[in-house]
Every structure is written in C-alpha cells, then in structure tokens.
Amino acid sequence: MIDLPSPNHDERPAGIAVDMLILHYTGMRTGQAAIDRLRSEAAKVSSHYVVEEDGAIFRLVPEQRRAWHAGVSFWRGREALNGSCIGIEIVNPGHEFGYRDFPALQMAAVCDLCLEILSRHPIPARNVVGHSDVAPDRKEDPGEKFDWEGLARNGVGLWPHDMPDLGFGGAARDEVRDAASLRPVRAALATIGYRIVPEGPLDPGLSIVLRAFQRHWRPEAITGQADAGTLARLLAVASLADGP
Ligand SMILES: [Zn+2]
C-alpha cells in the first residue's frame, strides 16, 4: 500500500456511517494520468484507493474522510452517496480509450482491498456496487469485463449461484415491452437498489437501467431488453438483495 495523498476530500456528514463500496474504472489512457487527476486540486475529484493493473494499491484519501467520486448518484432510496461510501478506482482505459480485461493480479488486489474494507465497516453485500449501478444514465464503469462473479465467490458483493444456464441468444424473441409484463422487472430493479419508476412500458429510461443491471449481473449481453435470461437473473439477485 503506497500513500499518495489527494487534497480532494472533506468531512463526512454528521451521523452518517460508511455502508457502501463503489467500484470504478479510471477511464483514462494511463494509470498515472488518472492518479494525477485524482490528486489535482483543480479537478476536484478523488477516490480512497487506486488499484493499478500490476496490483499496486495507492491510498489517496483516508477512509474516515469523504472522497469525491460518485457524483449525482442513487442507491436503495439514498442520494449523494459519497457521504456514506468508500470509492476504489481501478486502472483501465475504459470504453472510451480501449476497454480491456482486468489482469488477474489487479483483480486479486481489488479483492484483498475490498475484504479489508469490509472487515472495517458494516457494508452489506448488496451495497457493493459499480459506478454504473448508482449513476446508470451517466456511467458505464467498471463495466462488463469486471469480474463481479469472482469477487462474490470470495465474499465481496452479491452473485446468484446455482442459476440455470439460460443462454443469451433469445433476447429478440423473448423481449418484454408492455407495462404489465414489465411490472416484475421494475419491481426487481427497485428491490436491488436502482432508481426506477414503478409502472410503464419499456422506455429509454428503463432500458438504461437494464443495461446497468446487465453490465453487473449479466455481462454476456448488454441489450437493455428484459429478455427471459435477464428476468431470471434479475429475480435471483433481487431475492438476495431483499430485506430491511
Ligand atoms: Zn466512475
């Protein structure tokens, strides 16, 4: 762990406990460029940690302080999530500059770091999410190449096991568009944590949220459609996320 302090942080709001972990990719050409930006006073952005592709971990902001990475955000009824969360930036050029696989060494470092954070704070598995989950209309990170399933296997975040293999070729045939058929889809997305209106046909807003869900929990096909496979995965994740 290497300390590279950033000036971009402030006090967490009074009475707010840390109970979320938000994962990002850096989305810049190099890790160094991202670290420079996260430490630039002018940029006014930061994260608690940065994980390089070789597995090196940098600490930019102390966990007890609020880092500035989520922006306008929503999860499980709450907004302005920076106040209650810890943010990790994972080096990857992202969709804009050549999205590539996250190396195994990097994923192992991310996993170890998350486990350490989870040992220090009461963060439920359903509150370990991606930037795209809390800001689906603006963000795609850390994206569909990120190994959420592997993390969950190690105790970080939610993943439904024992899911039947439904394939993903049926999107066009099985897609669901009308308001009545979409009711369970909207309900499941809301239970998991997404901001969703309870009723309506397949509109662009719902498609964007379905894409965010697929990036995290059904990365085989990011279609924005409520096909049968997506619905099955949705209901499975929602049943894991449900509860007070
Ligand atoms: Zn991000």
Side-chain angles (χ1 to χ4, degrees):
M1 180 92 68
I2 301 149
D3 275 305
L4 289 177
S6 165
N8 301 326
H9 56 84
D10 58 4
E11 211 166 313
R12 292 188 184 276
I16 296 282
V18 170
D19 69 353
M20 275 197 86
L21 183 51
I22 298 184
L23 307 187
H24 305 254
Y25 65 46
T26 48
M28 295 186 72
R29 289 181 200 280
T30 66
Q32 189 59 54
I35 289 170
D36 290 347
R37 180 170 150 77
L38 293 164
R39 301 180 71 207
S40 142
E41 213 158 340
K44 293 189 163 44
V45 292
S46 61
S47 60
H48 294 92
Y49 300 98
V50 174
V51 181
E52 255 291 4
E53 290 187 296
D54 65 0
I57 301 175
F58 303 97
R59 174 164 47 200
L60 278 62
V61 173
E63 289 180 7
Q64 66 269 27
R65 303 283 292 173
R66 173 167 64 183
W68 306 338
H69 51 93
V72 175
S73 49
F74 176 96
W75 195 247
R76 295 184 70 87
R78 296 204 325 241
E79 298 179 290
L81 301 170
N82 281 340
S84 58
C85 80
I86 288 178
I88 303 176
E89 287 278 0
I90 300 153
V91 173
N92 189 298
H95 293 87
E96 194 175 351
F97 297 112
Y99 190 40
R100 58 190 183 219
D101 289 341
F102 295 86
L105 265 178
Q106 186 183 33
M107 281 309 305
V110 168
C111 187
D112 288 348
L113 175 60
C114 289
L115 287 170
E116 282 175 32
I117 293 168
L118 295 178
S119 76
R120 290 192 283 266
H121 305 276
I123 300 174
R126 65 192 184 201
N127 282 0
V128 178
V129 294
H131 200 186
S132 56
D133 293 312
V134 300
D137 50 338
R138 300 186 298 118
K139 297 293 175 181
E140 328 184 279
D141 63 310
E144 61 278 6
K145 290 182 186 293
F146 190 73
D147 186 11
W148 290 106
E149 184 177 5
L151 278 188
R153 213 180 299 123
N154 287 284
V156 179
L158 286 184
W159 193 270
H161 295 286
D162 307 318
M163 280 290 301
D165 179 7
L166 292 153
F168 51 91
R173 192 178 63 246
D174 302 329
E175 69 188 42
V176 167
R177 303 184 151 273
D178 63 285
S181 330
L182 282 170
R183 228 166 267 146
V185 171
R186 289 180 182 275
L189 287 167
T191 296
I192 295 166
Y194 296 95
R195 188 201 290 277
I196 206 85
V197 294
E199 185 71 37
L202 183 67
D203 54 16
L206 180 61
S207 240
I208 284 169
V209 176
L210 279 167
R211 272 176 207 282
F213 172 80
Q214 289 165 335
R215 266 185 222 292
H216 186 147
W217 280 288
R218 197 166 186 261
E220 303 96 317
I222 321 290
T223 60
Q225 303 285 339
D227 57 90
T230 296
L231 179 58
R233 195 69 62 85
L234 252 177
L235 296 175
V237 177
S239 75
L240 293 176
D242 206 1

